[in-house]
Amino acid sequence: MIIDLPSTTTNDVNKRLVKLRDEGGAVALGRVLTLVVDVGRHDVEEAIEAANDASREHPCRVIVITEAAQGADDAEEGGLDAQIRLGGDAGASEVIVLRPSGQVVPEGDTLVIPLLLPDAPIVTWWPYEPPEDPANHPLGRMAQRRITDSTACDAPQEVLRRLADVHQPGDSDLAWTRITLWRGLLAAALDQPPYESVDRVVVSGQTTHPSVDLLAAWLAEELDCPVTVERDDDAQAITRVSLERRSGEIVLDRPDGKTAALRQPEQPEHRIALPIRQLRECLAEELRRLDPDEVYAETLTRGLARVPA
């Protein structure tokens, strides 16, 4: 069900939600959090689709803020158009799309506050360009967790290093979530005999993909060894990691973005399904934890400085 509410107010949107809930029997008690999504001037559908998929694991109220197309007549005064999506159009969530225009645009936090679920955690997600300082952005200050996605930015590496300068507990980035499986496989490989230190690491991948830099930063910080990054414009995300030890190399190789080969000294080659992670998977994983990610913080603020740009 999709209900359009042109030229409205958040108070009217809230009243309509209550009415729909009373009429349809839907309840908010099962919602575990409020997910605030700021898409800026981008299309809302990709973010809503990912949030809907993630809501099947984390039932939530999704509030999406996007700037409305603005004409000359309403450029000064502005207003608010809204849309409510329920049922099959909202996954296991309630989706509220807010399209402020004119003078109403800067009031994003004021628009959101009346629609927040009471006594529920708040997560703010910027699917595209993040603010200069997420923790001090009006939508970030109200949230326990703040999720950015440097992968979707025009200058990913610059954004990642800027986020490192302003990082606060509760900040996270989906470029970090995309390397969860890589970190697990590499940690498991090193957790087997012989228990030798790693002398050098080489990480290969797409030239500007921020996950390449974060994986290299994590390895540099955790293993305390030199890390080299090999960049390829035609690569798909991360393609190869080599851990050099005295007894030989541990290599995790994924040239096709789908299946990886794990090669270790004196062991047969292992083939592992390792597809490039989709947006909905990464968002669902981030919503599983509302406490600060200390490993990400150390990787971003300390390890990234050890990776050549």
Side-chain angles (χ1 to χ4, degrees), residues 3 19 141 153 227 303 305:
I3 301 167
K19 182 180 178 181
R141 283 196 294 267
C153 298
V227 175

Side-chain angles (χ1 to χ4, degrees), residues 95-236:
V95 178
I96 305 164
V97 182
L98 303 176
R99 294 187 173 90
S101 59
Q103 296 179 356
V104 183
V105 172
E107 302 174 3
D109 56 331
T110 307
L111 295 175
V112 165
I113 289 172
L115 300 172
L116 298 174
L117 291 175
D119 302 320
I122 302 167
V123 178
T124 300
W125 172 35
W126 292 273
Y128 301 101
E129 296 290 337
E132 290 293 322
D133 187 349
N136 288 307
H137 185 275
L139 295 177
R141 283 196 294 267
M142 67 174 64
Q144 281 81 8
R145 288 293 308 275
R146 296 164 296 276
I147 305 172
T148 54
D149 191 357
S150 55
T151 311
C153 298
D154 292 333
Q157 291 167 307
E158 294 177 16
V159 168
L160 201 60
R161 294 180 186 275
R162 172 166 56 80
L163 291 174
D165 292 335
V166 297
H167 177 81
Q168 294 292 330
D171 293 353
S172 189
D173 193 275
L174 294 184
W176 170 252
T177 322
R178 288 182 171 91
I179 65 171
T180 298
L181 300 179
W182 283 85
R183 293 193 296 123
L185 289 170
L186 292 169
L190 289 172
D191 198 28
Q192 301 176 30
Y195 304 106
E196 299 175 329
S197 60
V198 176
D199 300 320
R200 180 172 176 263
V201 172
V202 180
V203 178
S204 305
Q206 204 275 333
T207 302
T208 60
H209 202 295
S211 293
V212 174
D213 295 87
L214 283 175
L215 183 57
W218 174 70
L219 290 166
E221 183 66 18
E222 294 297 323
L223 301 178
D224 193 23
C225 68
V227 175
T228 300
V229 179
E230 296 180 347
R231 305 183 188 274
D232 181 356
D233 291 342
D234 298 323
Q236 297 186 61

Side-chain angles (χ1 to χ4, degrees), residues 12-308:
D12 289 339
V13 173
N14 211 6
K15 289 179 180 178
R16 189 62 178 271
L17 276 170
V18 172
K19 182 180 178 181
L20 289 168
R21 190 179 306 127
D22 291 342
E23 292 175 351
V27 296
L29 295 179
R31 314 295 184 210
V32 297
L33 57 88
T34 301
L35 176 62
V36 180
V37 187
D38 184 359
V39 301
R41 296 185 178 181
H42 293 82
D43 183 71
V44 302
E45 295 304 328
E46 183 179 5
I48 289 176
E49 183 180 355
N52 284 347
D53 286 342
S55 74
R56 302 184 196 283
E57 181 179 341
H58 313 279
C60 57
R61 173 172 290 179
V62 180
I63 304 173
V64 183
I65 303 177
T66 178
E67 292 186 32
Q70 186 170 291
D73 294 338
D74 62 1
E76 291 297 326
E77 183 177 350
L80 175 67
D81 295 334
Q83 186 181 80
I84 298 173
R85 302 187 186 189
L86 299 171
D89 295 296
S93 63
E94 302 168 328
V95 178
I96 305 164
V97 182
L98 303 176
R99 294 187 173 90
S101 59
Q103 296 179 356
V104 183
V105 172
E107 302 174 3
D109 56 331
T110 307
L111 295 175
V112 165
I113 289 172
L115 300 172
L116 298 174
L117 291 175
D119 302 320
I122 302 167
V123 178
T124 300
W125 172 35
W126 292 273
Y128 301 101
E129 296 290 337
E132 290 293 322
D133 187 349
N136 288 307
H137 185 275
L139 295 177
R141 283 196 294 267
M142 67 174 64
Q144 281 81 8
R145 288 293 308 275
R146 296 164 296 276
I147 305 172
T148 54
D149 191 357
S150 55
T151 311
C153 298
D154 292 333
Q157 291 167 307
E158 294 177 16
V159 168
L160 201 60
R161 294 180 186 275
R162 172 166 56 80
L163 291 174
D165 292 335
V166 297
H167 177 81
Q168 294 292 330
D171 293 353
S172 189
D173 193 275
L174 294 184
W176 170 252
T177 322
R178 288 182 171 91
I179 65 171
T180 298
L181 300 179
W182 283 85
R183 293 193 296 123
L185 289 170
L186 292 169
L190 289 172
D191 198 28
Q192 301 176 30
Y195 304 106
E196 299 175 329
S197 60
V198 176
D199 300 320
R200 180 172 176 263
V201 172
V202 180
V203 178
S204 305
Q206 204 275 333
T207 302
T208 60
H209 202 295
S211 293
V212 174
D213 295 87
L214 283 175
L215 183 57
W218 174 70
L219 290 166
E221 183 66 18
E222 294 297 323
L223 301 178
D224 193 23
C225 68
V227 175
T228 300
V229 179
E230 296 180 347
R231 305 183 188 274
D232 181 356
D233 291 342
D234 298 323
Q236 297 186 61
I238 302 166
T239 55
R240 189 176 188 272
V241 176
S242 171
L243 309 177
E244 299 178 7
R245 301 190 299 182
R246 183 166 49 186
S247 60
E249 281 186 306
I250 297 175
V251 177
L252 186 58
D253 193 14
R254 185 189 65 179
D256 61 356
K258 297 178 181 179
T259 305
L262 178 62
R263 296 187 288 273
Q264 304 175 77
E266 300 181 2
Q267 292 192 30
E269 179 178 292
H270 297 282
R271 306 290 291 181
I272 304 164
L274 190 60
I276 294 175
R277 302 191 76 188
Q278 301 300 308
L279 177 61
R280 61 181 180 273
E281 300 174 69
C282 297
L283 181 60
E285 179 179 322
E286 279 299 319
L287 295 180
R288 287 180 199 136
R289 60 178 303 169
L290 298 177
D291 58 313
D293 189 336
E294 295 177 356
V295 179
Y296 169 70
E298 292 175 358
T299 299
L300 186 70
T301 59
R302 300 206 312 235
L304 195 60
R306 305 176 64 165
V307 177

